[in-house]
């Protein structure tokens, strides 16, 4: 069921509202049609019941011979009247439907007593075999009706047949006071007529109108959530993005104000943190410079070399720490980047330092991003590759939606349980703090931050044939 539900809040709300509205309309339509059918049958039955009661009362007040004459006079389609010495047996009489029970109650009410009577119904009034034991009794006006229909056109005959099909044949037998019976054969509307198209059209227009208003209302309610989600995503890419407009309903204004307040606090926190570390970096440079000058005064060459090495490492740690703490504080400068030219410049820089870097594959189009950040990310990954793997191979895979760069080395690899930990600040696989062996433990963390800020991701995995592979996936901006 979860897979069938829409993924968005808008889709789920529309599904619930539309399902409820359609179900309500169907139930309302069924109730209206059922009530209409009952009303039609009730009105038709009450009129026929009153006519039959009047005939019964009239026949009760007459002698037998006079009854026969009056019965022939009153036997006019669509109601045929016949006198019988006893009740007529019919197979249709065995069915006690709601129609027969309703008609019986209406006839008892019209007669004003509880005299014996039998009401039988046939769902096929156009044929006399609706009452199989009454072959001598055709249904109301069938002979004259057949003659009348024979002169009709085919279209008119079809209309008449459709009208007759909407009728329900009734055989009503009532006992007179002297014990004889009078039988009435008549027809009533079944009620289950063709649905009124104007009513269906009205319901359809009402449903469409309510669904449209629901669509507008749900879109209006969920749009601020979509804007807030987009703002939260872009905040990770650019902390200095423009604040959200604080407009709309009270709840939306409160959410936008809270988001803008949070953004301002984050900017202030990052700015204060960067300022502190910049001051620390500036203040540390002075004592490091003095220590370097004093180290030059040492007579022991070995001690002086070790001092200079430690001081150089301290300077690098201060620089890398400052770079990491600055993080993504600076706004991005987005522009098209020729990735191949950038990779070739990094390759040339590495070769000048005696490192081997190869490039495989090409890009199809420029990548839109911040050149300085992308260069820094790739430089950190290449430094990590040549530091531990002696040489690096950059595999370029450019598709319509994303740019994937794989930086492969031939080093010893990383234990599987350490693949994510190496992105943590100051975390290194080696216990020593030597730049030549372990670095500062900040390069991969900075590279991942840059990848995330560009909307991409950076992962590490061990290669099957040995070595490590850093996979940098960067999405192309939509055209």
């Amino acid at each position: 069921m979860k897979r069938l539900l829409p993924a968005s809040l808008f889709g789920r709300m529309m599904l619930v509202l539309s399902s409820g509205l359609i179900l309500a309309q169907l139930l309302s339509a069924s109730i209206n049609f059922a009530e209409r059918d009952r009303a039609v049958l009730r009105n038709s039955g009450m009129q026929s019941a009153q006519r039959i009661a009047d005939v019964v009362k009239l026949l009760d007040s007459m002698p037998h011979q006079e009854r026969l004459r009056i019965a022939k006079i009153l036997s006019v389609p669509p109601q045929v009247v016949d006198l019988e010495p006893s009740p007529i047996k019919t197979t249709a009489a065995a069915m006690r439907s709601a129609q027969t029970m309703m008609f019986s109650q209406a006839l008892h009410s019209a007669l004003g007593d509880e005299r014996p009577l039998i009401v039988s119904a046939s769902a096929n009034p156009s044929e006399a075999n609706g009452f199989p034991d009454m072959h001598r009794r055709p249904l109301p006006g069938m002979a004259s009706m057949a003659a009348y229909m024979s002169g009709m056109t085919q279209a008119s005959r079809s209309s008449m047949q459709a009208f007759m099909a909407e009728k329900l044949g009734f055989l009503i037998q009532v006992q007179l006071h002297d014990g004889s019976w009078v039988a009435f054969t008549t027809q009533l509307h079944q009620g289950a007529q063709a649905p009124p198209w104007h009513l269906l059209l009205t319901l359809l227009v009402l449903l469409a109108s309510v669904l449209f208003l629901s669509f507008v209302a749900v879109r209006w309610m969920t749009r601020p959530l979509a804007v807030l989600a987009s703002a939260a995503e872009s905040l990770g890419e650019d902390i200095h993005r423009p604040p959200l407009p604080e407009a709309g309903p009270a709840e939306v204004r409160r959410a936008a104000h809270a988001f803008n307040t949070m953004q301002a606090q984050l900017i202030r926190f990052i700015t204060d943190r960067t300022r502190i570390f910049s001051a620390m970096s500036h203040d540390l440079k002075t004592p490091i410079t003095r220590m370097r000058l004093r180290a030059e005064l040492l007579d022991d060459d070995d001690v002086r070399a070790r001092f200079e090495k430690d001081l150089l490492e301290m300077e690098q740690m201060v620089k890398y720490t400052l770079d990491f703490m600055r993080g993504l504080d600076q706004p991005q400068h987005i522009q098209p980047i020729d990735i191949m030219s950038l990779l070739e410049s990094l390759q040339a820089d590495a070769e000048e330092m005696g490192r081997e870097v190869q490039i495989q594959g090409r890009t199809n189009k420029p990548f839109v991003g911040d050149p300085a950040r992308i260069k820094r990310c790739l430089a950190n990954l290449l430094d990590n590759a040549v530091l531990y793997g002696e040489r690096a191979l950059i595999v370029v895979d450019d598709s319509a939606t994303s740019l994937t760069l794989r930086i492969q080395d031939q080093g010893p690899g990383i234990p599987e349980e350490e693949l994510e930990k190496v992105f943590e600040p100051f975390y290194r696989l080696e216990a020593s703090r030597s730049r030549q062996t372990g670095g500062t433990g900040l390069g991969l963390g900075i590279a991942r931050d840059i990848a995330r800020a560009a909307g991409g991701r950076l992962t590490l995995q061990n290669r099957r044939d040995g070595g490590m592979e850093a996979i940098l996936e960067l999405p192309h901006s939509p055209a």
Side-chain angles (χ1 to χ4, degrees), residues 68-133:
L68 293 175
R69 186 178 66 83
I70 296 298
K72 291 181 179 179
I73 294 175
L74 296 177
S75 184
V76 178
Q79 180 172 284
V80 177
V81 183
D82 236 344
L83 296 174
E84 301 289 345
S86 60
I88 303 170
K89 294 182 179 180
T90 63
T91 56
M95 180 181 67
R96 297 289 291 172
S97 64
Q99 292 92 335
T100 59
M101 295 177 65
M102 185 184 302
F103 195 88
S104 298
Q105 293 174 0
L107 186 55
H108 276 302
S109 177
L111 289 171
D113 54 33
E114 294 295 327
R115 71 176 70 200
L117 57 87
I118 302 172
V119 179
S120 308
S122 172
N124 190 8
S126 62
E127 297 181 7
N129 61 8
F131 303 107
D133 293 338

